[in-house]
Amino acid sequence: MYGIMNRNLSTLKRTNLQNVRLAHHSCKILILGGGTGGCSMAAKLSRKFKEKPSHVIVVDPAEHHYYQPFFTLIGGGIGNMKKCRREMKDVLPKNAQWINDFVIEIDPKNQKITTKNGDTVNYEILIVALGLKLNWQAVPGLVESLDNQKSQVCSIYSPETVPKVYGAIKRTKNGNALFTYPNTPIKCAGAPQKIMYLAEAYWQKHNLRDNINVVYNTALPVIFGVKKYADALWKVCEGRQIKVHLSTNLIEIRPDKCEAVFQNLVKPEEKRVEKYSLLHVTPPMTTPDVLKNNRDITNESGFLCVNEKTLRHDKYQNIFGIGDCTNTPNSKTMAAVASQVKVLYENIMDHLEGKEMSQIYNGYASCPIVTGNDKCILAEFDYKLQPRETFPYNQRNESHLAFLLKKDVFPFVYWNLMLNGHWHGPEAFRKIFHPFAKK
């Protein structure tokens, strides 16, 4: 997989740009990234700004758009890639202009960006929605292990790697099954546990569980950031005899020996080597290089510096951010983006009209934590890590309803409402079920 990727990039680098006419574009709204946040904002804004040059441009190099929350279920043998993949040209709004290229430079002082092919785009408003990059190379031995189809190292975090996961689970008959969470921010912080619970359920169903030692190694000091749901997850792990090692970070894989090396983050000098029969890796993640290398607009970790309430840049008033690439301290999930879309749209409209920004993002995020083939804990919370539950039951409890929402309802909402800019989260339903709750 990665060899092919590198060859394609090399081909691009060898392209003779002397024969290419470099283009210059200008627009009202420029959106960097065609993921969840970028598509949703493009849909809303392109309905208002249609005609050139006061229109919307989206810059993204991908040919396909993925509903990534479904990767967990694919890895667990539930569903297939067809349900979570569509052509990028089919999900971007027709009124928006798509530049199918990488952005390599952001020049906020001149309100301009440059693409890999040398094209430039001037903007009035810039929305940065570049997401996170999977840093496979950060763990020695990981790329080599993933490239080997016979290896029992796998990951649900990429469309190239997720098809291998279920096969690796089925081939595991005994030994140690290790699941990891890295020492970096990641998208969908519950996913490393979800695939573990689905794998454990498979081994239980096929009478293999007594022969397999299931271990969750997380770099975090807690099993989950919100205490209410963390308490429930501890009970799930205890009930299923899943070992949990906190503050434990994967630092190396030795594929020839089927060994994983872990570091104790509390006592960094302590390292532990574990044999594995299956190793599911959540890779370290970073922001894309175009952000990480531009300290004028990012923090020391490479995340776009925005106000956590308004989502406007701290320094440049015509730059806004949405999704995983910003420094907002919320959980990085699709549900968080849904809530941010409404806030961002209204605040951009206020900005263009010269008004004070009226909308505030409260950090809402949701994480449907699948704990088996038919049950799920639906975690919902805000910046303060306080539950903000939608449904009239205690959502710390495993629920079949929550599982059906995760498997069937949320994908429908995503493709038919969210990417069209019509879904802003479950706030309306929360008001119905909890009419007297505090906002």
Side-chain angles (χ1 to χ4, degrees), residues 40 53 73 114 117 139 152 198 210 219 236 240 271 287 290 292 407 411 433 439:
S40 300
L73 298 183
T114 304
N117 286 337
V139 180
Q152 283 293 94
L198 286 171
D210 290 343
V236 170
R240 301 182 193 179
K271 297 178 182 177
T287 53
V290 68
K292 193 167 52 175
K407 184 173 77 75
F433 292 129
K439 293 184 179 181

Side-chain angles (χ1 to χ4, degrees), residues 151-168:
S151 164
Q152 283 293 94
V153 178
C154 58
S155 179
I156 60 168
Y157 268 89
S158 163
E160 289 84 12
T161 61
V162 68
K164 177 183 175 181
V165 176
Y166 189 51

Side-chain angles (χ1 to χ4, degrees), residues 46-58:
S46 65
R47 286 193 285 268
K48 187 172 183 66
F49 304 106
K50 301 178 183 179
E51 305 300 327
K52 293 183 179 181
S54 295
H55 67 306
V56 175
I57 291 179
V58 180

Side-chain angles (χ1 to χ4, degrees), residues 3 8 34-35 60 91 112 120 147 205 217 228 230 286 311 365 428:
N8 289 341
D60 192 287
V91 299
K112 180 179 72 172
T120 60
D147 274 342
K205 180 179 178 181
N217 294 283
K228 176 176 182 175
T286 68
L311 305 179

Side-chain angles (χ1 to χ4, degrees), residues 322-337:
I322 188 170
D324 298 349
C325 68
T326 72
N327 66 335
T328 55
N330 57 281
S331 183
K332 299 181 183 302
T333 69
M334 184 203 82
V337 174

Side-chain angles (χ1 to χ4, degrees), residues 59-261:
V59 179
D60 192 287
E63 297 291 342
H64 293 96
H65 182 105
Y66 293 92
Y67 175 60
Q68 296 182 49
F70 207 73
F71 286 179
T72 307
L73 298 183
I74 294 171
I78 306 169
N80 55 61
M81 289 296 292
K82 291 182 180 179
K83 192 169 183 178
C84 68
R85 180 180 60 204
R86 294 191 182 178
E87 299 284 330
M88 183 68 81
K89 63 181 176 62
D90 294 332
V91 299
L92 287 173
K94 303 305 179 187
N95 290 331
Q97 179 183 351
W98 175 29
I99 297 178
N100 186 207
D101 199 359
F102 294 89
V103 57
I104 62 168
E105 182 182 1
I106 301 172
D107 181 359
K109 292 184 175 68
N110 294 304
Q111 298 183 192
K112 180 179 72 172
I113 67 101
T114 304
T115 72
K116 186 171 184 177
N117 286 337
D119 296 350
T120 60
V121 186
N122 279 96
Y123 58 83
E124 184 175 339
I125 299 291
L126 175 65
I127 300 174
V128 182
L130 288 169
L132 290 177
K133 180 178 74 171
L134 306 178
N135 191 7
W136 304 104
Q137 292 80 8
V139 180
L142 177 54
V143 172
E144 173 188 348
S145 299
L146 291 172
D147 274 342
N148 183 350
Q149 290 301 310
K150 296 181 180 179
S151 164
Q152 283 293 94
V153 178
C154 58
S155 179
I156 60 168
Y157 268 89
S158 163
E160 289 84 12
T161 61
V162 68
K164 177 183 175 181
V165 176
Y166 189 51
I169 291 171
K170 291 193 292 184
R171 287 192 299 270
T172 304
K173 309 297 182 183
N174 51 50
N176 293 326
L178 310 180
F179 297 80
T180 75
Y181 186 115
N183 191 26
T184 67
I186 67 169
K187 47 188 171 182
C188 193
Q193 288 186 65
K194 298 175 195 179
I195 188 60
M196 175 180 67
Y197 298 132
L198 286 171
E200 195 273 343
Y202 174 89
W203 295 321
Q204 285 280 8
K205 180 179 178 181
H206 291 84
N207 298 316
L208 296 168
R209 183 64 178 87
D210 290 343
N211 303 322
I212 299 172
N213 183 35
V214 182
V215 184
Y216 181 51
N217 294 283
T218 174
L220 297 176
V222 293
I223 193 171
F224 195 76
V226 182
K227 186 179 185 304
K228 176 176 182 175
Y229 307 116
D231 291 344
L233 291 170
W234 276 117
K235 290 183 179 179
V236 170
C237 289
E238 290 167 2
R240 301 182 193 179
Q241 296 182 312
I242 295 172
K243 295 180 181 178
V244 179
H245 295 150
L246 303 177
S247 301
T248 301
N249 187 42
L250 176 69
I251 60 171
E252 183 185 354
I253 300 171
R254 300 168 181 170
D256 54 330
K257 299 179 181 179
C258 291
E259 291 179 346
V261 183

Side-chain angles (χ1 to χ4, degrees), residues 357-370:
M357 291 181 291
S358 59
Q359 295 294 309
I360 291 177
Y361 173 54
N362 63 9
Y364 172 82
S366 174
C367 185
I369 306 171
V370 177

